[in-house]
Amino acid sequence: MWKMSRRRGVRLVVVAPVLAVLLGGFAARSAAEVPYPGLPDQEPEYPGGGWIGVAQTAMTHMVRAKQWVRIPTVPTAAWSQLSFSNYPPEHQWSSTNHFRNFVYFVSPPGSRHNYGDMEPVTVRTVAFGAIPVEAVVQISQRRGPDGLPIGLTFTTDHDVDTGTPGVVVNFYHDSQIDDVLWVKVLAVKVDGKDLRLAGQCRTVRPAKLSVLGDGGGDLSETEMDLSKHYRVAVGGRLAGTVDVPAFSGCVTKSGDDVSRLVTATVSGPGNPIKLQVSAGICTKKSPLGGLPPAPGESTPEAAGCEMDQLPAEFPYPKRGD
């Protein structure tokens, strides 16, 4: 569920609404026009909506492992729905743009599904204070009864006031994701030896993700600090925590259950996480509007993203930070 909080608007003179950046090339699609197999139907509630491709990168601190893990920059498929309302209702010169977004990971080649699985990342640590452990971890979205991924859902409201001639007041509400994701372990090495996992090693329940993107007044390109704020048209920073539950089903081919070892390596509550999200820089053009990355296009290069617009990956903190 998404939460919003209001701050004071900032009055600025603007030449053109920034929404044009996001909505350029958008065209409403019917539910029958899902662009690629593996994406769920999205029934447009309003004319303004369409598929886009967005790039994101992330970094999280595994508290128990005492290690920062950087998630590489990856493209995602997103359905963005736009509607409008007057705010407040009696003021015809004031309006609110309501953005509702559903985001889907583009699965890497070799995955069982076209969408819903992230690129695996490697976590290296010392378990029980003495045992070197290396785990290959993959984050996956939940799936519905039809086997299709359930998108990360969030909404962002954008207030626009044009009541003063020559002046536009823009205000972006805060945006928060509260959702859950599966965390799977694909491989484990202990002291360099591959344990050859055979079972489905994953969290006993989905991990809880909670991140917030700070809104605020509409600033110019030079004034806006995307490392601190999030705006739907241009992206930005979201930060929060992820709670990783214990693991089960981590059985080796020899029959040993190493779930406790994996739990000691990866699990724990309150792991800090930060994400940097782009605008629709991975969107393809078509006669019907925008297209998201196709199946297997799980890297910015494969998805044809605008490489000079990719969000910068987070640097690893210095020791002791």
Side-chain angles (χ1 to χ4, degrees), residues 203-221:
T203 47
V204 295
R205 61 183 179 278
K208 182 180 179 181
L209 173 69
S210 180
V211 292
L212 175 75
D214 285 336
D218 184 21
L219 305 178
S220 69
E221 292 293 334

Side-chain angles (χ1 to χ4, degrees), residues 164-274:
T164 302
V167 176
V168 176
V169 179
N170 283 279
F171 176 81
Y172 287 85
H173 294 249
D174 293 348
S175 303
Q176 182 168 339
I177 296 177
D178 283 315
D179 216 319
V180 293
L181 296 163
W182 287 108
V183 181
K184 299 181 288 186
V185 172
L186 307 181
V188 176
K189 291 182 180 180
V190 176
D191 203 14
K193 181 180 179 181
D194 189 351
L195 298 187
R196 302 175 66 201
L197 292 179
Q200 186 179 31
C201 181
R202 71 175 188 178
T203 47
V204 295
R205 61 183 179 278
K208 182 180 179 181
L209 173 69
S210 180
V211 292
L212 175 75
D214 285 336
D218 184 21
L219 305 178
S220 69
E221 292 293 334
T222 57
E223 294 172 313
M224 183 172 49
D225 188 350
L226 293 182
S227 68
K228 297 180 180 179
H229 297 279
Y230 174 80
R231 285 176 48 192
V232 66
V234 293
R237 176 71 55 87
L238 299 100
T241 59
V242 58
D243 300 335
V244 182
F247 284 77
S248 66
C250 307
V251 180
T252 68
K253 289 188 176 181
S254 61
D256 297 322
D257 191 335
V258 295
S259 300
R260 182 169 172 263
L261 174 66
V262 174
T263 296
T265 303
V266 181
S267 299
N271 300 287
I273 187 170
K274 49 189 177 181

Side-chain angles (χ1 to χ4, degrees), residues 83-120:
S83 62
F84 304 88
S85 64
N86 289 329
Y87 172 80
E90 64 272 15
H91 291 175
Q92 297 301 314
W93 59 85
S94 300
S95 64
T96 298
N97 306 310
H98 307 282
F99 293 92
R100 192 179 186 195
N101 306 285
F102 303 86
V103 179
Y104 304 91
F105 305 147
V106 182
S107 301
S111 294
R112 291 177 55 196
H113 307 282
N114 287 342
Y115 295 90
D117 298 327
M118 288 196 70
E119 288 275 354

Side-chain angles (χ1 to χ4, degrees), residues 49-99:
W51 288 97
I52 59 174
V54 174
Q56 67 177 32
T57 186
M59 176 172 277
T60 183
H61 184 237
M62 310 303 294
V63 175
R64 179 172 285 187
K66 297 180 180 180
Q67 183 192 3
W68 286 94
V69 178
R70 184 166 61 194
I71 298 174
T73 302
V74 295
T76 59
W79 170 267
S80 188
Q81 180 72 56
L82 174 64
S83 62
F84 304 88
S85 64
N86 289 329
Y87 172 80
E90 64 272 15
H91 291 175
Q92 297 301 314
W93 59 85
S94 300
S95 64
T96 298
N97 306 310
H98 307 282
F99 293 92

Side-chain angles (χ1 to χ4, degrees), residues 282-304:
C282 305
T283 307
K284 299 180 178 67
K285 294 182 179 179
S286 79
L288 294 177
L291 287 174
E297 296 180 345
S298 58
T299 65
E301 295 82 2

